[in-house]
Amino acid sequence: MITPPLPVNEKDRLAAVKEYNLLNTLPEKDFDVITKLTASICKVPISLVTLLDSDTNFLKSHHGIPFNESPRDISFCGHAILDDSDIFIVEDARKDERFHDNPLVLEHQAIFYAGVPLRNEEGYPLGTLCIFDTKPRTLDETQKSALHALAYQVINLFEARKRNNELRKVRQALEAQNLELKNFAGIVSHDMKMPLANMIVTSDILKVKYGKQLDFQGRKYLDYLKQSSFTLSEYITGLLEHYESEKLVSANSERFDIHHLLEEIVDLLNINVDCEINLPENNVELHCSRAALEQILLNLIGNSLKYNDKEKIVIDIDCWKDKDFYYFKLSDNGIGIPKNKQKEIFDLFTIVGNLDRNGKKGNGIGLSTVKKLITGLGGDIKVSSKVNEGTVFEFTIAN
């Protein structure tokens, strides 16, 4: 018996094998289907998908034998990965000096062998798709072609597993970063909102107590300080709502009707301008996260109120359902959204640039939170708008 030598690039080859995270893993149907098909096409009792580790020939799939690994130094596959041909064939191992006294031949009657090296994109042979028979034989061209095709599919499965592992790692990293952002948002809320409240109160006290001693510009600075504190406080609140939106999505579903919810929202908004809000013609009964839908509608109706330059604001709201979704449509006669901005408005921190009814600029958080909530509820949202004419938001929520 001749022990297969190590490839000259063995260190790099082993590193490539380990990248796939397939060593010492459980059987998988995708691989087992291939070995079963391979054995059937080639008319042999044994078919394997192997991966060569430093000392072990690991059998990722083993059709026709009960074990899932063997020593690398007696493996046929160790020789196969060194061969320059597309397929390594041993027609009768008993007549081959490399294998005639090999334990696999003497104890398990491994007489015939054919293996196709499984090479990754960098060209490293990771293992083989191979077959064994207990008698001498040959393969016809159709069987050889099928063996190559099936080996190609094994490599595709390897690559898919590798990509899935990489995506899983990216997802875990993103989840960790998102958690850090949530924790940061909580710290910001706790540590900054109280000082901001103190600044607002202090500016009012200064204006009342020392206002007569200040000139017009001094009083204007105090107003600016107060307004800036309010703006920053609203920004922090919006950021918190964005990162805590999952809590609203996962809240228990409730049964409620759309009219009652919208009436409560209108009361919460405390509208002090000339405004007509038309509720849905039919009072639809809903069963979903009430808190999440309330936050969505608060944001959308609030925007229709803020970004409107008409003497009379008109907001039309409609709602209907089928067996799969609840449908919502909210339209207004506001300032509208430029067409080149309509695809971006749901991205976090994206600002259209328009000032609201009170001359304030948005923070680019509200619509991003709306999108996140709707996606979490199994729905989608789209917008259509014409500048100076109005905007229509249409969204769905899974029923």
Side-chain angles (χ1 to χ4, degrees), residues 139-188:
L139 295 178
D140 61 34
E141 291 304 315
T142 299
Q143 290 170 327
K144 290 178 182 178
S145 178
L147 203 54
H148 283 119
L150 290 165
Y152 177 78
Q153 293 305 320
V154 173
I155 283 292
N156 284 342
L157 288 175
F158 282 4
E159 295 298 336
R161 165 66 74 87
K162 184 179 178 181
R163 286 192 295 271
N164 287 340
N165 288 338
E166 290 170 350
L167 288 172
R168 191 178 296 112
K169 289 178 182 178
V170 170
R171 180 179 177 181
Q172 289 171 349
L174 289 174
E175 287 175 349
Q177 291 176 3
N178 196 36
L179 181 59
E180 288 181 7
L181 285 171
K182 287 181 182 179
N183 292 336
F184 174 73
I187 292 170
V188 167

Side-chain angles (χ1 to χ4, degrees), residues 38-84:
T38 301
S40 176
I41 292 173
C42 296
K43 296 180 170 56
V44 293
I46 299 169
S47 176
L48 313 171
V49 170
T50 74
L51 290 159
L52 284 157
D53 199 0
S54 55
D55 299 312
T56 305
N57 189 25
F58 173 67
L59 314 182
K60 177 57 186 173
S61 178
H62 46 97
H63 175 81
I65 56 175
F67 50 89
N68 64 0
E69 65 177 37
S70 64
R72 177 174 173 174
D73 58 4
I74 66 169
S75 70
F76 284 61
C77 299
H79 291 276
I81 66 168
L82 298 170
D83 197 75
D84 292 332

Side-chain angles (χ1 to χ4, degrees), residues 184-343:
F184 174 73
I187 292 170
V188 167
S189 173
H190 183 271
D191 292 352
M192 291 187 66
K193 295 206 76 171
M194 185 55 70
L196 285 170
N198 290 338
M199 289 170 64
I200 293 168
V201 172
T202 301
S203 63
D204 283 338
I205 293 173
L206 287 172
K207 192 169 184 180
V208 171
K209 192 169 183 179
Y210 301 103
K212 293 181 180 179
Q213 300 175 37
L214 297 172
D215 59 11
F216 173 78
Q217 193 64 37
R219 292 192 295 274
K220 189 174 180 181
Y221 284 146
L222 283 177
D223 289 339
Y224 179 74
L225 177 64
K226 180 178 179 179
Q227 187 55 52
S228 296
S229 299
F230 270 124
T231 299
L232 185 53
S233 181
E234 290 172 2
Y235 184 87
I236 292 170
T237 299
L239 200 59
L240 277 171
E241 289 175 352
H242 180 81
Y243 284 111
E244 292 182 353
S245 58
E246 289 92 343
K247 294 180 182 178
L248 296 180
V249 170
S250 60
N252 290 333
S253 294
E254 304 176 44
R255 291 197 179 276
F256 57 96
D257 63 71
I258 189 64
H259 281 182
H260 187 247
L261 176 63
L262 288 170
E263 287 163 0
E264 287 190 355
I265 289 172
V266 171
D267 288 341
L268 281 172
L269 289 168
N270 194 25
I271 301 170
N272 57 5
V273 294
D274 188 6
C275 177
E276 176 185 321
I277 298 181
N278 299 308
L279 302 187
E281 183 176 346
N282 297 316
N283 189 13
V284 178
E285 184 181 77
L286 309 169
H287 185 231
C288 62
S289 170
R290 192 182 195 278
L293 182 56
E294 180 179 48
Q295 188 64 50
I296 293 165
L297 292 170
L298 268 171
N299 268 292
L300 294 178
I301 297 172
N303 280 351
S304 292
L305 292 169
K306 288 191 295 184
Y307 296 100
N308 199 306
D309 56 355
K310 308 300 188 295
E311 288 188 12
K312 181 176 182 178
I313 298 171
V314 178
I315 301 172
D316 295 314
I317 304 171
D318 200 3
C319 174
W320 65 99
K321 67 178 180 179
D322 60 24
K323 65 176 183 177
D324 297 316
F325 290 97
Y326 299 112
Y327 298 85
F328 301 87
K329 182 177 180 181
L330 189 147
S331 58
D332 63 49
N333 62 339
I335 61 178
I337 303 168
K339 192 170 185 62
N340 64 338
K341 291 285 186 179
Q342 291 177 18
K343 290 184 178 180

